[in-house]
Amino acid sequence: MEQPEKMPLKTFWEAVEQRLAAYSADELRTILRAMAQETPPADRQYFLARLAPVAEAAPPPIQEDELLAAIDDCAREIADAMQHADAWERRYEWGEYYDDEDSLGPYEEFVEPLAGLFDQAEAAFDYGHLALARAAYHKLFDLLSIEDDYGRGVRVTDLAGVDTGEASARYLRAVYETESPDYRPAALFEQLRQVQGWLFGRRPALNDLVQISPRPLPDQERFLADWIAYLRTQPSPSGSDADAWLREAVRLAQGTAGLADLAQTEGRTRPRAYLDWFAALEQEGRLPEVLAAAQAALQTLPTGLPIRAAIADHLCATASQLHDPAALRHGRWEAFVARPSLLRLLDLWELAADPAERATLMPRAAAYLQDYGAQPPAGLVGTLGIGDGLEQPAWIGPAVLAHAYLLAGDWDAAQRLVARGQVLGWSSTENAQGLVVAASLVLLSGQSLGALPANLAQVWQWGLQYSVVVWGEDKAGVIQRLERAYAEQFPLVRLSIEQQERLLAWCLDVAQQR
């Protein structure tokens, strides 16, 4: 079950205060009675104890030297444990911990003390001891980054009740408020990049600092101007940290209008500014403007940029909501050309419901995939799986081109594509022979997909399964889409007797070799 998005602390307190102000005394009594009725019997005494006026809490006495000294003591104890890591490994190599590489091993005893130290750092932040909070959080996160020769150590994920995102946001807010305004942009830039390591690569945002406290961010207007100016001095290729933080700062300082200006003036070097602009317009319900802006972006950006696919996706989503079929068709093709894939090929098929339109569109798509595969875009090697992939060229395996040929009705091209492939290893993503053989046998059977003999139905399912390589998508859903497409395509295929005989002979030859 998908977890709901976590509400920022500032947003939470603002919502609490708004609701308290909106409800009358009688309404608040009704709410409390409902909460009391839902209280389990074992918690009733606790509920009554909480149901009492609370005086404004005085800041707890926090001794800077004591908290930092406690962190240093814990660090020395962990370092001492790491000095004896070899002895611990020898002692337990045949014991319960040996096969568990994720075990905390000798460091399990430090989990509770470290969680308590994080709680004290949070208290220091909440009560305004920001210099102390900054120093404490820095020491604690550094401590959680060390490991012994066996890769063991305590990680923040081991500390139940410690929210890494909120802890790092408190640290950054403390950095912000304890730095002088003149040095604040440079200091924050440096610390944002350090925190990114604490967050296992997730990029922190300036808005994290704003949302971590109900207090307004001091000097926010001046800082945003200085922050934007500073970020413009940093190397900021599209998608980099500096680029992302600049786009965020423009949004916070100037809103949708600022994003529009950034996209229109710097969109060729900062194409992600278009995506931020579209998202802001969509949030405001300004869909016709999204459509016009996406169309303008596709006219402005050079062809061949993979990020054009994300822009075209916005165009398609908006065109669908506005019931603009012409714009939707244009967007589907632009998305396919920018980052071709099996999913985008199916998008084209499903949009072109008329067989005559498909008869034109599928050969066009197959020809494009053939050229794309023959001359892979620059920058493809070594980039797969990095970041969100919006600006990385798409990788397509032979199966995508095979599907395109088959859906285009070009059986000869599909056979030529896989004819020299290995007759074994059909489960490989680089071997589409199993798909084409299975599709050929289904076609030659003359049966509908729902009436195939059990053995042929199994071969067909294997062919589909092995041909679908998707990341972050529902594979079963993609296969269902393929089945619907082929259920529509097979009855339309017309092969001559000579073609059928040649295709059958090839299938029998492959089967004999297997």
Side-chain angles (χ1 to χ4, degrees):
M1 181 178 177
E2 186 176 349
Q3 295 294 322
E5 185 177 352
K6 182 177 67 177
M7 179 179 289
L9 185 64
K10 178 180 177 66
T11 305
F12 171 71
W13 279 116
E14 288 175 348
V16 168
E17 293 298 333
Q18 288 173 0
R19 295 195 182 192
L20 289 176
Y23 295 140
S24 66
D26 287 340
E27 288 172 327
L28 290 173
R29 290 189 185 95
T30 301
I31 292 171
L32 287 172
R33 290 190 186 103
M35 294 172 64
Q37 191 170 8
E38 295 173 356
T39 301
D43 295 338
R44 287 170 182 165
Q45 195 65 40
Y46 175 73
F47 179 84
L48 290 173
R50 296 288 302 274
L51 199 62
V54 178
E56 186 71 27
I62 298 178
Q63 298 297 324
E64 179 173 351
D65 293 342
E66 291 182 7
L67 175 55
L68 299 182
I71 297 172
D72 290 338
D73 288 343
C74 188
R76 281 191 289 271
E77 291 173 7
I78 292 176
D80 183 65
M82 288 185 174
Q83 290 293 324
H84 299 87
D86 288 341
W88 188 93
E89 289 289 335
R90 287 193 298 271
R91 178 181 177 186
Y92 287 102
E93 64 179 351
W94 302 113
E96 59 180 316
Y97 296 108
Y98 184 73
D99 292 328
D100 185 1
E101 295 181 357
D102 295 327
S103 167
L104 282 166
Y107 311 112
E108 191 167 358
E109 64 179 288
F110 299 106
V111 168
E112 187 174 344
L114 280 169
L117 291 170
F118 267 95
D119 288 342
Q120 292 183 53
E122 180 179 344
F125 177 87
D126 289 343
Y127 287 99
H129 302 279
L130 299 179
L132 173 58
R134 175 178 178 173
Y137 275 125
H138 196 283
K139 283 177 174 287
L140 287 168
F141 276 113
D142 276 351
L143 183 54
L144 295 176
S145 67
I146 62 174
E147 59 184 31
D148 62 23
D149 293 338
Y150 300 91
R152 299 187 194 274
V154 185
R155 302 289 179 265
V156 72
T157 52
D158 299 318
L159 307 182
V162 176
D163 186 301
T164 315
E166 291 198 351
S168 59
R170 290 188 184 93
Y171 169 73
L172 290 170
R173 178 67 175 258
V175 169
Y176 178 97
E177 295 203 39
T178 55
E179 286 291 346
S180 66
D182 290 340
Y183 188 64
R184 193 173 275 159
L188 191 61
F189 184 80
E190 178 184 350
Q191 295 308 312
L192 280 165
R193 301 186 75 170
Q194 178 165 339
V195 164
Q196 195 165 356
W198 299 345
L199 297 176
F200 307 102
R202 182 179 71 80
R203 181 187 292 126
L206 180 63
N207 197 45
D208 296 342
L209 284 67
V210 176
Q211 296 294 334
I212 197 57
S213 171
R215 304 188 305 270
L217 191 68
D219 303 320
Q220 180 170 330
E221 185 174 346
R222 172 190 170 177
F223 171 74
L224 285 173
D226 293 344
W227 184 228
I228 291 171
Y230 178 83
L231 291 172
R232 288 191 179 280
T233 68
Q234 304 301 311
S236 54
S238 180
S240 67
D241 293 337
D243 176 60
W245 291 327
L246 174 64
R247 290 182 281 108
E248 181 200 22
V250 169
R251 177 180 58 81
L252 291 173
Q254 303 165 21
T256 304
L259 290 173
D261 182 66
L262 183 65
Q264 291 168 337
T265 57
E266 301 183 43
R268 291 180 69 89
T269 55
R270 302 183 189 276
R272 287 174 181 256
Y274 282 112
L275 302 180
D276 291 355
W277 180 24
F278 302 159
L281 289 171
E282 288 165 356
Q283 190 173 14
E284 296 171 9
R286 297 158 62 179
L287 297 185
E289 294 178 59
V290 177
L291 187 62
Q295 290 170 330
L298 291 174
Q299 291 177 348
T300 300
L301 293 176
T303 58
L305 287 184
I307 200 170
R308 288 172 61 93
I311 291 170
D313 286 340
H314 276 276
L315 190 156
C316 292
T318 307
S320 180
Q321 293 181 70
L322 295 177
H323 307 290
D324 188 335
L328 181 57
R329 279 175 168 76
H330 173 66
R332 286 279 186 248
W333 179 255
E334 289 291 344
F336 173 77
V337 168
R339 298 195 80 239
S341 67
L342 178 58
L343 295 178
R344 297 193 190 281
L345 179 69
L346 287 170
D347 287 341
L348 292 175
W349 173 274
E350 291 163 356
L351 186 63
D354 180 68
E357 185 179 357
R358 286 174 177 167
T360 301
L361 187 58
M362 288 297 104
R364 183 185 177 197
Y368 179 79
L369 288 173
Q370 182 177 339
D371 292 342
Y372 187 93
Q375 297 180 337
L380 177 59
V381 178
T383 62
L384 297 179
I386 299 175
D388 57 19
L390 295 183
E391 294 173 88
Q392 297 164 15
W395 173 85
I396 57 168
V400 180
L401 180 54
H403 278 299
Y405 283 141
L406 294 174
L407 291 175
D410 194 343
W411 242 253
D412 290 339
Q415 182 191 349
R416 288 195 300 270
L417 175 69
V418 302
R420 295 185 180 180
Q422 296 293 325
V423 297
L424 299 178
W426 283 358
S427 61
S428 168
T429 58
E430 292 299 314
N431 191 344
Q433 192 179 85
L435 167 67
V436 178
V437 168
S440 299
L441 292 174
V442 171
L443 178 68
L444 294 170
S445 75
Q447 301 294 316
S448 67
L449 291 180
L452 295 176
N455 57 346
L456 182 53
Q458 183 63 74
V459 171
W460 172 240
Q461 284 300 312
W462 285 338
L464 290 181
Q465 286 279 347
Y466 296 145
S467 73
V468 174
V469 180
V470 290
W471 289 272
E473 297 287 344
D474 175 17
K475 183 172 182 176
V478 177
I479 292 174
Q480 289 177 358
R481 294 176 67 187
L482 280 170
E483 288 177 328
R484 288 194 297 269
Y486 281 107
E488 296 170 327
Q489 172 65 357
F490 279 130
L492 302 178
V493 178
R494 297 290 183 266
L495 298 182
S496 67
I497 297 298
E498 181 184 352
Q499 286 177 307
Q500 293 180 46
E501 290 176 348
R502 187 168 62 248
L503 193 60
L504 178 59
W506 173 68
C507 289
L508 292 175
D509 180 59
V510 171
Q512 189 173 26
Q513 291 183 58
R514 284 176 63 83

